[in-house]
Amino acid sequence: MTYDVQSIRQDFPILGRRVYDKPLVYFDNGATTQKPRCVVDAMTEEYYNVNANVHRGVHFLSQRATDLHEQSRETVRRFLNARSTTEIIFTRGTTESINLVTSCFGEGCMQEGDEVIVSQMEHHSNIVSWQLLQARKGIVIKVIPISDEGELLMEEYEKLFTEKTRIVSVTHVSNVLGTVNPAKDIVRIAHEHGVPILIDGAQSTPHFKVDVQDLDCDFYAFSGHKIYGPTGIGVLYGKEAWLDRIPPYMGGGEMIRTVSFEKTTFNDLPYKFEAGTPDYVATTGLAKALEYVTHLGMEHIEAHERELTRYALEQMRQIEGMHIYGHASDGGDAVISFNVGHIHHLDLGTLLDRLGIAIRTGHHCAEPLIHRLGIEGTCRASFGLYNTKEEVDLLCQGIERVRKMF
Ligand code: PLP
């Protein structure tokens, strides 16, 4: 299959709109992606023709909605190559998936003084959730340092393990630097120390094929809205042995088998972790999005975005005063953080917006990393499967224009 980006763009109605009378250039895909028509249509169709609560009714609509919901779980299973749908838990997104692990693993498997290893390049969701557990239980947070080029120092990682290490929790891809961490090695080293590992896949799943069995990770988290699916839905993959071992997350309907005031027993996996009515329309939308990217081919999406990133780096490096963070090696993902001369990132972002170019500015919910880089923030251009070299040219022209104003 040839990757025809112009025809792919037709699937995303929003890309045809104008902003301040300029064609929209959407380079904020790291924050959230745009939605193809098939995702919105599938959700509209469900609301118009199927809607009923899942897992509860004997009636036609409830059974049909339940079928769609469970088929969506199977689509996620296939997408991640998990062993079983019992290992796929629907959550509201990466943040909730991580918090589920910190709460349940923290509750079931950690005591005061026990240690978690995270890295310097984590998103706040993978820092603050552990800090909350630290406040509740007195756990210790250890941090893998990074090099000046924005790569994990693997030999330092190995040195952090002690007999108190209970879990490792690291991101697959940095949402600021685009660094793709050597996830397989990170997992292997954790397992050599007998420690399970959670991987934050918020910025990996949209860009390349992820196989949780091949990675051999114990938990894997991602968000639907960052992979062309709806907001408010995400996934936690967990190995069955761990999910069986840790206590439930929230209490309520659907996660129980029997309830009495004396004793409650919990439902089978994955429902033990899914209290309350799930966003079953969003799971349909998520499944559509995963089918959409699978149909395009994750390997084609990856190749397209790698080429776009390579081109963008080449063009951007020619701009006077350009400072690009990370991307020391060729393997960086479709995220470029930069500053230009002494222009404040907020000014640059605001002026680019006036040219119809949407980028992100600030600390990108990764303040410890930004501090490590010795700066206050960056501009971030993050690419999606529909972006083009012409759009990169518009970005570079826009930056040049702003630069000349300062
Ligand atoms: N982890 C990383 C690496 C991210 O980039 C993000 C969002 O930007 C998150 C976690 C949180 O994702 P969400 O807000 O969808 O829960």
Side-chain angles (χ1 to χ4, degrees):
M1 183 186 145
T2 55
Y3 194 88
D4 181 355
V5 69
Q6 289 306 335
S7 101
I8 289 168
R9 287 176 70 83
Q10 302 305 314
D11 297 336
F12 294 82
I14 204 170
L15 297 180
R17 71 158 291 168
R18 296 174 79 81
V19 172
Y20 305 118
D21 208 27
K22 305 274 191 316
L24 168 68
V25 174
Y26 187 76
F27 281 162
D28 196 17
N29 295 285
T32 200
T33 51
Q34 302 302 344
K35 318 305 169 198
R37 199 176 270 109
C38 62
V39 167
V40 182
D41 286 352
M43 295 173 73
T44 307
E45 160 64 17
E46 185 160 355
Y47 274 129
Y48 281 169
N49 279 315
V50 183
N51 183 51
N53 208 333
V54 293
H55 297 142
R56 285 161 173 81
V58 291
H59 59 81
F60 177 86
L61 288 184
S62 177
Q63 303 223 346
R64 183 75 193 104
T66 304
D67 286 349
L68 281 175
H69 184 60
E70 292 306 323
Q71 280 163 19
S72 300
R73 201 187 299 279
E74 166 58 19
T75 303
V76 174
R77 185 205 66 73
R78 229 178 305 124
F79 181 74
L80 290 178
N81 191 31
R83 210 179 44 77
S84 158
T85 49
T86 54
E87 299 181 319
I88 304 297
I89 299 163
F90 286 122
T91 64
R92 285 190 301 125
T94 307
T95 301
E96 191 179 40
S97 298
I98 293 172
N99 275 270
L100 192 161
V101 176
T102 57
S103 295
C104 304
F105 186 91
E107 187 56 44
C109 306
M110 294 183 87
Q111 307 297 330
E112 187 177 347
D114 283 350
E115 295 166 1
V116 55
I117 297 176
V118 301
S119 86
Q120 180 98 52
M121 65 171 81
E122 298 309 317
H123 186 276
H124 292 164
S125 55
N126 199 22
I127 299 171
V128 183
S129 49
W130 293 107
Q131 288 174 332
L132 294 176
L133 182 66
Q134 183 174 46
R136 286 201 303 276
K137 281 202 126 175
I139 64 148
V140 177
I141 300 169
K142 294 194 149 180
V143 183
I144 312 169
I146 59 168
S147 66
D148 291 342
E149 290 72 39
E151 281 166 8
L152 289 184
L153 295 174
M154 292 295 282
E155 61 287 6
E156 299 300 319
Y157 165 52
E158 293 221 49
K159 288 185 204 154
L160 293 178
F161 286 89
T162 71
E163 74 285 355
K164 295 248 177 200
T165 311
R166 294 289 168 265
I167 189 165
V168 175
S169 189
V170 293
T171 193
H172 201 160
V173 173
S174 162
N175 65 316
V176 178
L177 303 170
T179 311
V180 181
N181 288 322
K184 265 182 105 157
D185 291 339
I186 298 172
V187 172
R188 180 183 46 75
I189 291 165
H191 287 172
E192 279 168 10
H193 291 84
V195 171
I197 175 162
L198 161 64
I199 298 182
D200 171 350
Q203 299 293 343
S204 54
T205 41
H207 302 297
F208 53 83
K209 173 88 190 118
V210 168
D211 180 330
V212 289
Q213 290 193 72
D214 182 51
L215 284 174
D216 196 27
C217 55
D218 301 277
F219 301 99
Y220 201 92
F222 76 95
S223 298
H225 71 100
K226 291 187 196 286
I227 184 163
Y228 313 98
T231 49
I233 193 74
V235 170
L236 176 68
Y237 157 82
K239 278 186 186 163
E240 205 170 296
W242 281 111
L243 295 179
D244 270 335
R245 192 167 151 194
I246 62 180
Y249 183 42
M250 291 192 287
E254 205 53 33
M255 52 76 73
I256 50 87
R257 195 191 304 280
T258 60
V259 179
S260 73
F261 283 110
E262 290 70 42
K263 183 172 167 59
T264 289
T265 55
F266 302 126
N267 205 342
D268 294 333
L269 295 177
Y271 309 111
K272 170 178 149 188
F273 292 99
E274 293 182 349
T277 299
D279 194 342
Y280 51 84
V281 177
T283 57
T284 298
L286 172 62
K288 266 288 161 215
L290 298 184
E291 283 164 12
Y292 180 82
V293 292
T294 303
H295 176 72
L296 290 181
M298 286 310 297
E299 66 286 10
H300 293 127
I301 293 171
E302 180 179 3
H304 171 75
E305 293 179 350
R306 286 283 160 107
E307 171 57 18
L308 197 61
T309 307
R310 188 203 58 72
Y311 178 76
L313 287 168
E314 187 183 282
Q315 298 301 310
M316 289 168 74
R317 282 183 178 132
Q318 290 172 29
I319 297 172
E320 200 181 310
M322 173 63 65
H323 187 112
I324 289 170
Y325 303 91
H327 288 282
S329 59
D330 280 347
D333 212 15
V335 177
I336 302 178
S337 266
F338 61 96
N339 275 314
V340 181
H342 295 296
I343 307 172
H344 195 276
H345 51 86
L346 204 56
D347 292 334
L348 184 48
T350 307
L351 291 165
L352 286 174
D353 174 56
R354 287 281 152 177
L355 301 171
I357 302 168
I359 60 160
R360 175 94 182 257
T361 61
H363 55 57
H364 316 296
C365 297
E367 274 193 65
L369 171 57
I370 294 293
H371 293 159
R372 165 66 178 83
L373 298 172
I375 52 178
E376 285 175 25
T378 72
C379 296
R380 181 185 75 178
S382 50
F383 308 129
L385 59 83
Y386 36 58
N387 289 125
T388 65
K389 289 185 178 171
E390 291 72 30
E391 290 181 306
V392 169
D393 292 342
L394 288 173
L395 171 69
C396 292
Q397 287 159 21
I399 297 172
E400 277 292 9
R401 209 164 135 183
V402 175
R403 196 182 63 76
K404 286 183 182 137
M405 285 167 61
F406 275 79

